[in-house]
């Protein structure tokens, strides 16, 4: 009797892996999503997740990719580098073939190392720090554009459109903000502008009046802030409270309606923001469809370009799988590097990627905040 | 000119630290315990204030600074309630368990309060409705400005400190508190209801903390659930610096920390602010380990 039971148990042990092996073949395509769903960047992270969810559901409703359903595995990194490594490991253990994320460069950096070691296709929708693609990771891509491009754009905008001479640059010591600040400084100096003030705030602070008082006394024509919108909003509010006249320009992490809510409309009006265009200002059929579908499902407009970029990241993965008829991350990465040219993207045509995984071209524009507290595409833009 | 403006900036920041520091100091004075959950209670003051003001404005149809008066009362009552509850649930059962257990319990409460706020209100930044805060600025000496709100914050802070001081040193309950601060057992023998006195401390400390949360929330206009840590830690340091357990000390420590931070940020760099501020503080503590006013240990509260 005992022997019989053992035999049955043994047989089961042999059969189970075979069965589950069969299941894996026909099972869903597993895609990981790593975003800050809590913490400072939760607003962005939640919106990006909604975007991805929208496209995944649309894809599955239309029969999936290559006849297989898509299943997403969502992990929250809270924008924190430490938590990022932990959740990246969880996604690797879950057996995903590709990951969309993270939001901020500080969180993307440690995760990219783990995904690279695991051989997973890793696409960040929004991390623009230059050094992320300097590590030689063959399966790391971005659908956003480098800080380097934005720095050049900001410098040109200040010189050609605003016509200013003596500028200041303020960052917040995060990977992203410091990178953008350094590039802007380099290009501004190349264009002949004087960078008379260059410093950083501590983003954990609430009160920036000490540094604002100093900036106000420095006689600058314009100040470029490269940090995030929560601090950007407080900077604008406290500039107003102190009665200072500072012409602010802010980077793309301030491209968010919450900036104006935090600052108050009267303090935000007249501020420039350099950024990728808002979803509603992108004039392609794909973009309009995305905005319409998003509104229909969630009852709100996609509020920031990063939500759209998250959808774009999924779009690229889907496109690559469809074109290559493969879910092997190596094949997909090779395809994106060499063959993917002029893809009809949600954020405009994707010209392609260079050997480092950086998206070619740029779509940056300058917005101005008007008296009603709306981001308006500024009529004048610098030469391309 | 800039020096004067920076001094005003520093005093404003310092008065916030001082307001929060009062709560740490009161609890420490009586229980010799650091109530790390105080930052969380302070943060809840900001959130409850947000709910109440939003509700009031929806009710009357427009935003006015007068809405802050009923809000203030509601916030103080609600957060004092949280304080008493926390004491009853997390601290009282551990009162005889040595020093470490209540400390860990307090840290646990801090995390619980923070997570609750995040789960109830969400993780995004919250903003108070515009129009609640009395606007307007007074120009002193050319470009130097002080806002009506800054003046109010300063007045309220000093008034509160004075009231608290009078309460502790001039009333029967205050005298009982000082007795409990010195010795629980002897106080009990003298007929003092020690549990009730401690509950009173947890009524006043968190009530003040909640009020500080409302003031900080409306002053800066926006906050998120991490508010408790950023101000709580600084305020705790301010309390130590001034001499923990000492009410004027908390005020002095808060002001000093605010001003040192401001000058470091304004004249050197915000990146170096903390390094400079804390090097100075460590030096002060080396020469005065009990804090600036923390001399007469026996009479502490």
């Amino acid at each position: 009797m005992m022997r019989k039971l053992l035999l049955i148990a043994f047989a089961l042990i042999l059969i189970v892996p075979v069965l589950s092996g069969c299941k894996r073949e026909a099972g869903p395509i597993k895609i990981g999503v790593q975003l800050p769903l809590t913490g400072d960047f939760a607003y962005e992270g939640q919106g990006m997740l909604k975007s991805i969810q929208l496209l995944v559901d649309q894809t599955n409703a239309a029969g999936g990719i290559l006849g297989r359903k898509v299943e997403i595995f969502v992990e929250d990194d809270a924008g924190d580098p430490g938590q990022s490594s932990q959740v990246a490991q969880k996604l690797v253990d879950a057996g995903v073939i590709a990951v969309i994320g993270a939001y901020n460069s500080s969180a993307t950096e440690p995760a990219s190392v783990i995904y690279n070691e695991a051989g997973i296709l890793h696409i960040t929708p929004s991390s623009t720090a230059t050094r992320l693609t300097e590590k030689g990771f063959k399966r790391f891509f971005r659908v956003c554009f480098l800080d380097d491009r934005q720095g050049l754009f900001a410098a040109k905008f200040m010189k050609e459109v605003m016509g200013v001479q003596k500028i200041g640059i303020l960052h917040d010591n995060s990977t992203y903000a410091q990178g953008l600040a350094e590039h802007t400084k380099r290009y501004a100096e190349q264009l002949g502008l004087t960078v008379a003030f260059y410093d950083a705030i501590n983003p954990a602070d609430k009160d920036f009046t000490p540094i604002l008082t100093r900036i106000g006394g420095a006689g600058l024509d314009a100040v470029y802030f490269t940090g995030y919108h929560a601090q950007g909003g407080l900077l604008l509010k406290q500039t107003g409270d102190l009665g200072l006249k500072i012409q602010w320009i802010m980077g793309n992490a301030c491209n968010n309606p919450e900036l104006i809510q935090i600052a108050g409309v009267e303090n935000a009006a007249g501020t420039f923001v350099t950024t990728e265009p808002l979803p509603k200002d992108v004039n392609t059929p794909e973009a309009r469809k995305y905005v319409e579908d998003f509104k229909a499902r969630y009852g709100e407009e996609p509020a920031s370009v990063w939500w759209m970029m998250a959808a774009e990241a999924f779009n690229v993965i889907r496109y690559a799988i469809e074109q290559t008829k493969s879910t092997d991350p190596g094949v997909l990465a090779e395809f994106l590097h060499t063959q993917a040219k002029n893809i009809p993207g949600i954020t405009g045509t994707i010209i392609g990627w260079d050997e480092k995984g950086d998206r070619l071209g740029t779509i940056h524009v300058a917005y101005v905040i008007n008296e009603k507290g709306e981001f308006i595409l500024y009529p004048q833009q610098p030469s391309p | 000119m800039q020096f004067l403006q920076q001094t005003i900036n520093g005093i404003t920041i310092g008065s916030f630290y001082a307001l929060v520091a009062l709560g740490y100091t009161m609890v420490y004075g009586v229980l010799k315990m650091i109530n790390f959950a105080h930052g969380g209670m302070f943060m809840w003051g900001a959130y409850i204030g947000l709910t109440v003001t939003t509700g009031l404005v929806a009710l009357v149809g427009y935003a006015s600074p007068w809405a802050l008066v009923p809000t203030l009362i509601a916030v103080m009552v609600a957060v004092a309630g949280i304080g008493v509850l926390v004491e009853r649930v997390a601290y009282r059962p551990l009162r005889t368990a040595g020093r470490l257990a209540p400390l860990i319990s307090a840290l646990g409460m801090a995390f619980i309060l923070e997570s609750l706020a995040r789960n109830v209100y969400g993780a995004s930044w919250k903003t108070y409705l515009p129009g609640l805060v009395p606007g307007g600025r007074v120009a002193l000496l050319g470009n130097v400005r002080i806002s009506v709100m800054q003046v109010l914050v300063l007045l309220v802070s000093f008034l509160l400190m004075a009231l608290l001081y009078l309460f502790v040193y001039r009333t029967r309950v205050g005298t009982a508190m000082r007795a409990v601060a010195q010795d629980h057992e002897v106080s009990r023998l003298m007929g003092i209801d020690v549990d009730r006195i401690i509950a009173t401390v947890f009524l006043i400390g968190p009530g003040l903390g909640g009020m500080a949360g409302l003031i900080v929330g409306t002053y800066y206009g926006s906050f998120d659930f991490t508010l408790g840590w950023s101000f709580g830690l600084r305020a705790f340091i301010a309390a130590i610096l001034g001499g923990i357990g000492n009410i004027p000390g908390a005020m002095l420590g808060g002001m000093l920390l605010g001003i040192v931070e401001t000058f470091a940020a304004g004249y050197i760099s915000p990146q170096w602010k903390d390094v400079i501020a804390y090097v100075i503080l460590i030096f002060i503590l080396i020469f005065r380990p009990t804090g600036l006013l923390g001399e007469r240990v026996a009479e502490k509260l």
Side-chain angles (χ1 to χ4, degrees):
Chain A
M1 185 62 194
M2 196 59 198
R3 188 175 292 177
K4 232 179 207 167
L5 274 177
L6 274 176
L7 212 66
I8 291 168
F10 191 60
L12 275 174
I13 288 168
L14 282 179
I15 289 165
V16 167
V18 175
L19 282 176
S20 60
C22 294
K23 231 169 111 194
R24 203 178 303 137
E25 279 302 301
I29 298 174
K30 295 177 176 177
I31 295 177
V33 176
Q34 177 190 341
L35 289 170
L37 303 175
T38 58
D40 264 8
F41 312 132
Y43 179 76
E44 291 291 353
Q46 300 277 4
M48 291 161 85
L49 179 58
K50 281 184 186 170
S51 267
I52 296 168
Q53 194 69 59
L54 173 72
L55 263 75
V56 169
D57 291 350
Q58 284 178 345
T59 304
N60 284 338
I65 312 175
L66 305 179
R68 290 166 66 184
K69 295 277 184 216
V70 176
E71 189 183 350
I72 55 168
F73 290 74
V74 183
E75 289 293 339
D76 172 21
D77 65 24
D80 175 64
Q83 208 162 320
S84 167
S85 327
Q86 290 169 18
V87 300
Q89 195 56 52
K90 273 170 92 176
L91 288 175
V92 170
D93 295 343
V96 299
I97 60 146
V99 170
I100 301 169
Y103 168 67
N104 50 322
S105 297
S106 309
T108 302
E109 194 162 11
S112 71
V113 178
I114 291 168
Y115 297 137
N116 179 60
E117 277 168 10
I120 289 170
L121 178 67
H122 180 193
I123 303 184
T124 174
S126 54
S127 297
T128 50
T130 313
R131 70 165 182 256
L132 293 174
T133 41
E134 303 287 338
K135 300 172 195 291
F137 293 169
K138 287 281 164 253
R139 296 174 186 183
F140 178 67
F141 296 85
R142 14 183 164 219
V143 288
C144 55
F145 298 90
L146 277 177
D147 288 347
D148 156 71
R149 300 287 97 196
Q150 189 182 180
L152 175 61
F153 178 86
K156 274 179 155 178
F157 181 77
M158 286 189 270
K159 183 171 170 72
E160 294 177 17
V161 178
M162 298 172 73
V164 296
Q165 182 53 47
K166 195 177 165 193
I167 64 161
I169 298 172
L170 188 66
H171 63 91
D172 69 5
N173 270 330
S174 63
T175 309
Y176 149 76
Q178 193 174 358
L180 177 55
E182 280 165 10
H183 293 300
T184 309
K185 184 166 186 277
R186 193 176 75 237
Y187 286 118
E189 281 165 353
Q190 277 174 18
L191 291 173
L193 300 177
T194 315
V195 181
F197 173 92
Y198 186 88
D199 209 335
I201 55 161
N202 172 6
D205 285 344
K206 281 270 175 303
D207 200 311
F208 303 113
T209 53
I211 193 75
L212 287 170
T213 303
R214 191 166 110 215
I215 292 173
L220 303 168
D221 299 329
V223 185
Y224 190 43
F225 173 64
T226 62
Y228 291 87
H229 73 270
Q231 288 73 39
L234 283 170
L235 283 170
L236 292 175
K237 177 174 161 50
Q238 291 167 22
T239 302
D241 287 348
L242 285 168
L244 296 171
K245 297 270 173 288
I246 300 173
Q247 175 59 58
W248 285 102
I249 312 162
M250 305 210 156
N252 56 1
C254 287
N255 173 13
N256 187 313
E258 270 194 3
L259 173 90
I260 300 163
Q261 221 184 328
I262 292 170
V265 176
E266 69 281 10
N267 297 318
T271 302
F272 292 108
V273 178
T274 63
T275 181
E276 293 79 356
L278 291 176
K280 67 178 168 61
D281 292 325
V282 183
N283 257 330
T284 63
E286 289 82 4
R288 260 174 271 144
K289 178 177 184 314
Y290 160 78
V291 173
E292 285 312 311
D293 291 349
F294 194 100
K295 272 201 283 198
R297 168 145 174 193
Y298 300 112
E300 56 172 334
E301 259 195 48
S304 102
V305 70
W306 308 119
W307 301 11
M308 195 180 194
M309 286 286 183
E312 186 76 296
F314 178 77
N315 187 40
V316 165
I317 295 171
R318 179 175 61 189
Y319 181 81
I321 296 175
E322 279 169 357
Q323 295 295 312
T324 57
K325 309 246 182 305
S326 165
T327 54
D328 179 73
V331 175
L332 299 175
E334 183 60 24
F335 171 78
L336 293 178
H337 272 302
T338 56
Q339 284 160 287
K341 300 284 175 238
N342 299 319
I343 305 171
I346 298 170
T347 54
T349 304
I350 300 173
I351 303 170
W353 286 268
D354 66 11
E355 69 284 357
K356 290 193 283 186
D358 286 324
R359 182 172 169 183
L360 300 169
T362 183
I363 53 169
H364 287 104
V365 289
Y367 281 82
V368 66
I369 298 169
N370 72 3
E371 299 296 328
K372 281 184 265 174
E374 299 158 337
F375 287 97
I376 301 296
L377 199 61
Y378 198 60
Q380 283 169 280
Q381 300 287 339
S383 60
Chain B
M1 219 52 102
Q2 227 187 73
F3 178 79
L4 194 58
Q5 183 69 59
Q6 294 289 27
T7 310
I8 293 172
N9 296 341
I11 290 175
T12 310
I13 300 173
S15 59
F16 292 135
Y17 292 161
L19 266 180
V20 185
L22 287 176
Y24 281 106
T25 256
M26 278 200 71
V27 171
Y28 185 86
V30 173
L31 284 178
K32 300 288 175 285
M33 176 200 132
I34 292 154
N35 178 22
F36 275 114
H38 189 66
M41 295 172 190
F42 156 78
M43 167 203 65
W44 267 95
Y47 276 111
I48 294 169
L50 182 80
T51 305
V52 175
T53 52
T54 311
L56 278 175
V57 170
L59 208 65
V60 296
Y62 61 94
S64 143
W66 291 110
L68 291 181
V69 178
T71 306
L72 187 63
I73 295 164
V75 165
M76 287 183 80
V77 169
V79 180
I82 296 177
V84 172
L85 191 72
V86 165
E87 194 271 332
R88 188 71 195 81
V89 172
Y91 301 159
R92 194 180 294 183
L94 296 170
R95 200 171 293 150
T96 52
R99 302 193 72 152
L100 209 50
L103 192 73
I104 298 306
S105 183
L107 272 174
M109 281 316 300
F111 283 118
I112 289 170
L113 288 172
E114 185 179 301
S115 303
L116 277 177
R118 190 190 61 209
N119 296 346
V120 171
Y121 286 93
S124 64
W125 280 66
K126 298 286 169 228
T127 45
Y128 273 90
L129 292 163
L132 282 174
V133 181
R137 280 180 285 272
V138 189
L140 315 159
L141 288 170
N143 293 331
V144 180
R145 282 159 185 255
I146 184 161
S147 68
V148 173
M149 190 66 185
Q150 276 171 318
V151 177
L152 275 177
V153 167
L154 282 176
L155 284 179
V156 167
S157 309
F158 280 108
L159 184 72
L160 268 178
M161 193 195 71
L163 283 177
L164 201 58
Y165 192 82
L166 287 176
F167 175 75
V168 170
Y169 283 92
R170 296 279 183 274
T171 64
R172 276 180 67 86
V173 182
T175 311
M177 263 182 206
R178 281 182 292 141
V180 173
Q182 289 189 15
D183 196 315
H184 289 199
E185 278 314 303
V186 176
S187 306
R188 213 185 307 273
L189 292 175
M190 293 292 142
I192 296 171
D193 186 343
V194 173
D195 278 339
R196 249 185 75 186
I197 293 298
I198 290 174
T200 314
V201 168
F202 273 93
L203 205 66
I204 298 172
L208 288 177
M211 178 178 161
L214 175 68
I215 295 177
V216 168
T218 48
Y219 181 81
Y220 291 111
S222 61
F223 62 97
D224 69 352
F225 64 94
T226 60
L227 185 73
W229 282 121
S230 52
F231 274 86
L233 197 63
R234 301 283 165 81
F236 170 60
I237 291 162
I240 303 265
L241 178 71
I244 193 157
N246 183 303
I247 290 169
M251 205 70 187
L252 181 71
M255 289 292 173
L256 194 67
L257 185 62
I259 290 172
V260 170
E261 273 190 11
T262 299
F263 283 139
Y267 288 103
I268 298 160
S269 163
Q271 305 183 72
W272 290 96
K273 176 188 74 173
D274 288 344
V275 176
I276 295 158
Y278 293 111
V279 165
I280 293 175
L281 300 193
I282 288 168
F283 266 103
I284 293 177
L285 288 178
I286 287 173
F287 291 106
R288 292 192 69 89
T290 51
L292 289 170
L293 301 181
E295 212 168 9
R296 292 166 298 167
V297 180
E299 283 185 18
K300 261 183 191 175
L301 180 113

